[in-house]
Amino acid sequence: MAKIFVTRSIPGPGLPALHDSSHDVAVNPNDRALTTTELHAGIAGADAVLTQLGDKVDAAFMNAAGPQLRCISNYAVGYNNVDVAEASKRNIVVCNTPGVLTDATADIAWTLLLGVARRASEGDRMIRTNGFEGWTPTMLLGGDLVGKTLAIIGAGRIGYAVAKRATGWDMKLQYVARSAHGDFEALGAERVELDAALRAADYVSLHVPLTDQTRHLIDAARLKLMKPTAYLINTARGPVIDESALVDALKSGTIAGAGLDVYEQEPKVHPGLAECANTLLLPHLGSATIQTRSEMSHLAAQNLLNVLSGSRPLHAVNDDVVTRLGLTA
Ligand code: DGY
């Protein structure tokens, strides 16, 4: 019987599947993230841990769990919170939940894009504060979409799903990626360099993972390349944008607006972002649909149970460890 620790309760079939297994399962009983001390105490002796994207899974975490730790199953597609190299060194399989949250996240990118361009939250606030005094020819004029250029930065599943939706608005598509992607080309998207995309686009949507290379990919210099009428959308990870530089750009009119679902110091949000009327700010809702969270739940639990039973997880981040451990069935 293996010991499993779940760092925070998740909806859907994942927890019942873990409880139905023959393993000893403990779940964080609080409806909040654990402090580092609580987390490290909870995982002590665990063979597998089901983690959240806010958990710092570093060498100290792995030491706290102990040498028997075999699997870290992250309840997210992103795994920038996990030190994968350290886990691989220790033959710990790291798993994630790709695929099932693609459409939900693409829909949130479009919620932000449409919402910020058409000033939906400003309009909503106007109504709620009794500021609507009737239609006027100049009230809350926003940006158009049809025929405009959308640049997708990062050509993975979510970027593609965002691009696909843009065909409904007859937008011109550009994408930024290290190599050509047939699926984007089939949509008529043109592959361009990042700086060229920033200069040309009316809308820029970020879909890169957070790595040392993408941290502050969008900094003050790159924001200055964008058109003053352009909008920046981020549903990837907060630190991809230099948030202070973004606040300056929004306040000075360097760009027209930003729609954000993720933040540099999550859950803290740079106070300047909320001061700007030209932002639409969501609290990391990308995958927040009932069906998506349920599918993530199934994947995260199954990944972990597979590793514990000696079989191949559905989605491992470090496949080299899966092979080395002979988890092939
Ligand atoms: C992920 O899975 O990485 C998302 O950010 C969670 O919504």
Side-chain angles (χ1 to χ4, degrees), residues 3 5 7 34-49 51 56-72 86 90 92:
K3 219 174 142 186
F5 188 75
T7 67
L34 296 173
T35 64
T36 304
T37 310
E38 291 170 332
L39 178 65
H40 288 184
I43 62 176
D47 298 280
V49 186
T51 52
K56 191 168 184 196
V57 185
D58 54 4
F61 176 106
M62 297 172 211
N63 289 340
Q68 75 298 327
L69 182 63
R70 277 184 276 164
C71 180
I72 293 158
E86 183 62 36
R90 301 174 187 228
I92 299 168

Side-chain angles (χ1 to χ4, degrees), residues 53 74-81 96-98 101 105 158 235-237 261-262 266 284-288 292-293 296:
L53 55 84
N74 213 34
Y75 183 64
V77 64
Y79 50 87
N80 52 288
N81 59 311
N96 68 340
T97 63
L101 46 75
T105 308
I158 299 172
T235 52
R237 284 293 182 264
D261 189 41
V262 288
E266 226 168 287
H284 206 144
L285 294 181
S287 62
T292 299
R293 288 285 164 83
M296 288 167 67

Side-chain angles (χ1 to χ4, degrees), residues 267-319:
K268 283 191 206 134
V269 177
H270 190 303
L273 290 172
E275 285 163 15
C276 293
N278 51 349
T279 55
L280 177 49
L281 307 173
L282 296 180
H284 206 144
L285 294 181
S287 62
T289 73
I290 294 164
Q291 182 181 315
T292 299
R293 288 285 164 83
S294 176
E295 288 173 2
M296 288 167 67
S297 174
H298 163 72
L299 266 187
Q302 205 52 53
N303 279 334
L304 184 154
L305 290 173
N306 281 14
V307 174
L308 290 179
S309 68
S311 51
R312 174 176 281 285
L314 301 172
H315 292 286
V317 168
N318 52 356
D319 263 322

